[in-house]
Amino acid sequence: MESAIPLHLKTQRTRHKRVPDDYQPPYPSFVARYKPGVVRVVMAYFGVQYRDVAPAAAMEALAAIGERFAGEGGPTHWDRAHYVDQAGYTNVVSAAYWDDIARFDAWFEPSREAWTGKGREEIGTFIEVLRPAVARHETLFSSLGRPEGVAVIADGMSGEVQEHAYWGGMRDRIPLSQSDPMTPGGVPELIRDGARLRVKAHDNLCLIRSGQDWSDTEASERKLYLDDVEPVLREGMDFLRDDGLVIGCYANRYMQVLAAGSRASEKSYGQSWWKSLAALERWAESHPTHVKIFGAAMKYLSTLGPSAKLRLYHEVTVAAADEQFFEYLSCHPKTGMLAAVQSAGA
Amino acid sequence: MESAIPLHLKTQRTRHKRVPDDYQPPYPSFVARYKPGVVRVVMAYFGVQYRDVAPAAAMEALAAIGERFAGEGGPTHWDRAHYVDQAGYTNVVSAAYWDDIARFDAWFEPSREAWTGKGREEIGTFIEVLRPAVARHETLFSSLGRPEGVAVIADGMSGEVQEHAYWGGMRDRIPLSQSDPMTPGGVPELIRDGARLRVKAHDNLCLIRSGQDWSDTEASERKLYLDDVEPVLREGMDFLRDDGLVIGCYANRYMQVLAAGSRASEKSYGQSWWKSLAALERWAESHPTHVKIFGAAMKYLSTLGPSAKLRLYHEVTVAAADEQFFEYLSCHPKTGMLAAVQSAGA
């Protein structure tokens, strides 16, 4: 049993963790471990948005960003996912990960210009980037052997960690929680730069990417997941997307991961932006929609026991104000963090 | 909105509460307020145990303790409840409350001698007492107007309090949590004193009395409670009673409150002894049996909204080692805290 907080990020505590030192989680979970030299990671979401059938411009944009990812200074790992949003628009989002800020910065400037610098026919584009210090970030995996998202660029995975399977574990895994309540400050602001809309959010904005991978499940387990768990998960994701703002969720996308050749894979993830880690905690712990998800997942896992082949993971970041970047071009007004400022301005 | 911790028990914090200062609970709840002069309360459970039909000795014992309660120095409030335990024994438990230690002590010595000092034909008797400093104790009520248990002896009820409707609220309502993790110390020990068996538990033993009152519910709400909530609650209570030890629950009684004349009332409560507040927290937050209870209760309350007539309350104490007393005479070995030492010795 090891701490989710790596040794080199242990600090003098002014805030206690939520469980006693002898706490034993009831089942194993694991976290990504970066090389100690990694001080920041970058997670950058590049979105293409269009209505109905994909226009040629969308295909061209996706090919172009793929080429940039493969080029000099590109991400160590990226994946692509797809969803139809509340306004009926299709969004194809390429999520890319770096562990070197200088490399990212050099790569980003021209890539940004190419992505949101000039309008394209029939499509919108957007960029959402966090570049957190590693102390502002945590991951959790239900099993080993298939890292996803930011964990792919890590050095490897931990052994079994202590800080999970209780409410508050997410916070306790973030190294900064040892000394900082991570209180949000300020409200999101809209900045107009010609046709480009930028959102300046606020200190301690929170991002979660929470993923599901049912590709290893077989007959009865697959049926149980798709019939009993997925619909409840979808209902909660829809709630966050449509009505999340009142509880501090600025935006939510429940996306299907695309495999090579743009075929849908048997992986999905929810990606949501939150006013604070506390707001995310409250939803997860006590909102009826997540209580249902938690109940369905618990029933599923207790039915299957250790034989369950479903893989679950998440990554959570609480970003400082200067670790964020949001830019939207020709997107509808409920896209991503635009929803937060639309509402604030309304 | 006020803090559950009364002003005169506020101390310099070395431990943070679990929610930010601007946290707003989604529905109202209330706590008992004692007069500031009250430094300790006493909760004393006097049990009679027998098999099958109540023997005359049981009736006599119940009448006798009732007379003592009514006599000089007796409790400010008491109630009586009934349940059939895992060994098939009927237990009738009279729970009595004081807010003055000196008065209790004077009353207790002869009453104890009468209750567990000498054996009676066909019945067992037991006493379980906590006398916590008020800083080691909290209550919570879903509505005003009908205090139960220790709250009956309070000066009154608070306004709406902040520290509830999130996991960790129970701890945050206990004033001592401002500076103390309330870590348990030691293991329960059996002390034989002739036929009398005493249990010396350990520092920071935890007691919860968690009650339900459906006497105000009408047709459809009553049916919903009795059909959809109560069976799930009972299942969780049975789990704690039969298998709680491995998760730190020493003993659990799910009791039906008796009205005057020993008729069953439409009130029940679970009373359980825990190794620590942390163990109770873990069960409540993540054990499948309580997740089901929580899910059923949440569904019930969200179906009914503010019109719900079901009343819920609890009282929780984390007692110092010298604030506890457990004594059993002619009871079966799984009675109350005897279960903890039986197992420890096995």
Side-chain angles (χ1 to χ4, degrees), chain A residues 45 79 81 95 209-212 253-255 257 268-271 313:
Chain A
Y45 296 86
D79 57 29
R209 170 179 172 161
S210 179
Q212 305 80 35
R253 305 181 175 110
Y254 176 44
M255 299 199 277
V257 176
S268 57
Y269 70 87
Q271 181 219 359
Y313 72 95

Side-chain angles (χ1 to χ4, degrees), chain B residues 97-296:
Chain B
Y97 298 91
W98 287 256
D99 64 4
D100 181 325
I101 277 288
R103 208 180 73 210
F104 170 73
D105 284 345
W107 179 90
F108 183 56
E109 210 34 59
S111 301
R112 172 194 166 196
E113 208 45 45
W115 194 250
T116 47
K118 54 179 185 300
R120 297 175 178 82
E121 289 286 321
E122 300 181 87
I123 69 169
T125 51
F126 63 86
I127 304 175
E128 299 173 346
V129 180
L130 295 188
R131 35 196 286 166
V134 289
R136 287 178 161 276
H137 170 69
E138 65 92 13
T139 62
L140 193 67
F141 284 78
S142 67
S143 51
L144 295 170
R146 196 179 301 160
E148 296 280 351
V150 74
V152 178
I153 69 169
D155 191 35
M157 298 294 273
S158 70
E160 295 184 22
V161 296
Q162 183 187 47
E163 301 93 339
H164 77 97
Y166 62 91
W167 300 116
M170 176 168 67
R171 181 179 292 266
D172 287 351
R173 288 188 298 274
I174 298 176
L176 191 60
S177 73
Q178 296 168 102
S179 59
D180 192 319
M182 296 179 277
T183 309
V187 289
E189 283 173 48
L190 182 65
I191 297 166
R192 295 181 185 277
D193 173 14
R196 292 202 277 200
L197 303 178
R198 276 195 291 283
V199 177
K200 192 167 164 292
H202 53 72
D203 217 26
N204 293 323
L205 181 81
C206 176
L207 167 68
I208 180 168
R209 169 179 173 161
S210 181
Q212 306 81 34
D213 175 352
W214 63 99
S215 57
D216 285 355
T217 63
E218 289 177 19
S220 65
E221 182 180 357
R222 173 174 302 246
K223 186 170 159 50
L224 202 59
Y225 176 72
L226 294 174
D227 291 358
D228 292 4
V229 179
E230 198 281 338
V232 178
L233 174 60
R234 180 175 298 272
E235 201 181 317
M237 295 290 102
D238 287 353
F239 165 78
L240 289 182
R241 184 193 65 193
D242 299 334
D243 301 301
L245 213 51
V246 291
I247 59 159
C249 179
Y250 292 134
N252 184 58
R253 305 182 177 110
Y254 176 44
M255 298 199 277
Q256 187 103 13
V257 177
L258 297 171
S262 296
R263 285 175 302 103
S265 71
E266 294 183 314
K267 298 179 183 179
S268 57
Y269 70 86
Q271 182 220 357
S272 51
W273 295 103
W274 293 79
K275 182 183 171 65
S276 65
L277 182 64
L280 172 55
E281 288 177 318
R282 296 291 88 71
W283 175 71
E285 295 173 18
S286 57
H287 196 273
T289 55
H290 193 268
V291 170
K292 272 183 79 177
I293 295 172
F294 182 68

Side-chain angles (χ1 to χ4, degrees), chain A residues 242-291:
Chain A
D242 299 335
D243 301 300
L245 214 50
V246 291
I247 59 158
C249 179
Y250 292 134
N252 184 57
R253 305 181 175 110
Y254 176 44
M255 299 199 277
Q256 187 103 14
V257 176
L258 296 171
S262 296
R263 285 175 301 103
S265 71
E266 295 182 313
K267 298 180 185 179
S268 57
Y269 70 87
Q271 181 219 359
S272 51
W273 296 102
W274 293 80
K275 183 182 170 66
S276 64
L277 182 64
L280 171 54
E281 288 177 317
R282 295 291 89 70
W283 175 70
E285 294 173 19
S286 57
H287 195 273
T289 54
H290 193 269
V291 170

Side-chain angles (χ1 to χ4, degrees), chain A residues 97-114:
Chain A
Y97 297 91
W98 285 257
D99 64 4
D100 180 324
I101 278 288
R103 208 181 75 210
F104 170 74
D105 284 345
W107 178 91
F108 184 58
E109 212 31 61
S111 301
R112 171 193 166 197
E113 209 45 47

Side-chain angles (χ1 to χ4, degrees), chain A residues 14-20 23 165-168 278 281-282 285-288 291 294-295 298 302, chain B residues 14-20 23 165-168 278 281-282 285-288 291 294-295 298 302:
Chain A
T14 57
R15 296 173 63 85
H16 61 276
K17 66 180 196 292
R18 223 196 133 222
V19 289
Y23 168 73
Y166 62 91
W167 299 116
E281 288 177 317
R282 295 291 89 70
E285 294 173 19
S286 57
H287 195 273
V291 170
F294 182 68
M298 183 161 284
S302 63
Chain B
T14 56
R15 296 173 63 86
H16 62 277
K17 66 180 197 291
R18 220 191 139 226
V19 290
Y23 167 73
Y166 62 91
W167 300 116
E281 288 177 318
R282 296 291 88 71
E285 295 173 18
S286 57
H287 196 273
V291 170
F294 182 68
M298 184 161 284
S302 63

Side-chain angles (χ1 to χ4, degrees), chain A residues 7-251:
Chain A
L7 214 55
H8 71 285
L9 295 176
K10 293 256 178 206
T11 58
Q12 183 73 34
R13 277 192 181 274
T14 57
R15 296 173 63 85
H16 61 276
K17 66 180 196 292
R18 223 196 133 222
V19 289
D21 290 340
D22 65 354
Y23 168 73
Q24 296 272 356
Y27 51 86
S29 290
F30 312 90
V31 305
R33 295 287 192 211
Y34 306 107
K35 285 203 168 78
V38 174
V39 291
R40 285 182 184 277
V41 290
V42 180
M43 41 212 70
Y45 296 86
F46 293 84
V48 173
Q49 187 179 79
Y50 55 85
R51 190 112 204 177
D52 305 322
V53 181
M59 296 295 101
E60 285 159 22
L62 291 170
I65 194 79
E67 273 171 40
R68 284 190 178 269
F69 285 160
E72 178 70 20
T76 310
H77 170 69
W78 65 278
D79 57 29
R80 188 165 278 173
H82 158 275
Y83 92 121
V84 178
D85 68 23
Q86 70 274 41
Y89 286 76
T90 295
N91 293 258
V92 181
V93 180
S94 307
Y97 297 91
W98 285 257
D99 64 4
D100 180 324
I101 278 288
R103 208 181 75 210
F104 170 74
D105 284 345
W107 178 91
F108 184 58
E109 212 31 61
S111 301
R112 171 193 166 197
E113 209 45 47
W115 195 249
T116 48
K118 52 179 186 301
R120 297 176 178 83
E121 290 286 320
E122 299 180 89
I123 68 169
T125 51
F126 63 85
I127 304 175
E128 299 172 346
V129 181
L130 294 188
R131 34 197 285 167
V134 289
R136 287 178 160 276
H137 170 69
E138 65 92 12
T139 62
L140 192 67
F141 284 78
S142 67
S143 50
L144 295 170
R146 195 181 301 160
E148 296 280 350
V150 73
V152 177
I153 69 169
D155 191 35
M157 299 294 273
S158 69
E160 295 185 22
V161 296
Q162 183 187 48
E163 301 93 339
H164 77 96
Y166 62 91
W167 299 116
M170 176 167 68
R171 182 178 292 266
D172 288 349
R173 289 187 298 273
I174 298 175
L176 191 60
S177 73
Q178 296 168 102
S179 60
D180 192 319
M182 297 180 277
T183 309
V187 291
E189 283 173 50
L190 181 65
I191 296 166
R192 294 180 185 277
D193 174 12
R196 292 203 275 198
L197 303 179
R198 278 195 289 284
V199 177
K200 190 166 163 294
H202 53 72
D203 217 26
N204 293 324
L205 182 82
C206 177
L207 167 68
I208 181 167
R209 170 179 172 161
S210 179
Q212 305 80 35
D213 175 353
W214 63 99
S215 58
D216 285 354
T217 63
E218 290 177 17
S220 65
E221 182 179 356
R222 173 173 303 247
K223 186 170 159 51
L224 202 58
Y225 176 71
L226 294 173
D227 292 357
D228 292 2
V229 179
E230 199 282 336
V232 178
L233 173 60
R234 180 176 298 271
E235 201 182 316
M237 295 290 102
D238 287 353
F239 165 80
L240 289 182
R241 184 192 67 192
D242 299 335
D243 301 300
L245 214 50
V246 291
I247 59 158
C249 179
Y250 292 134

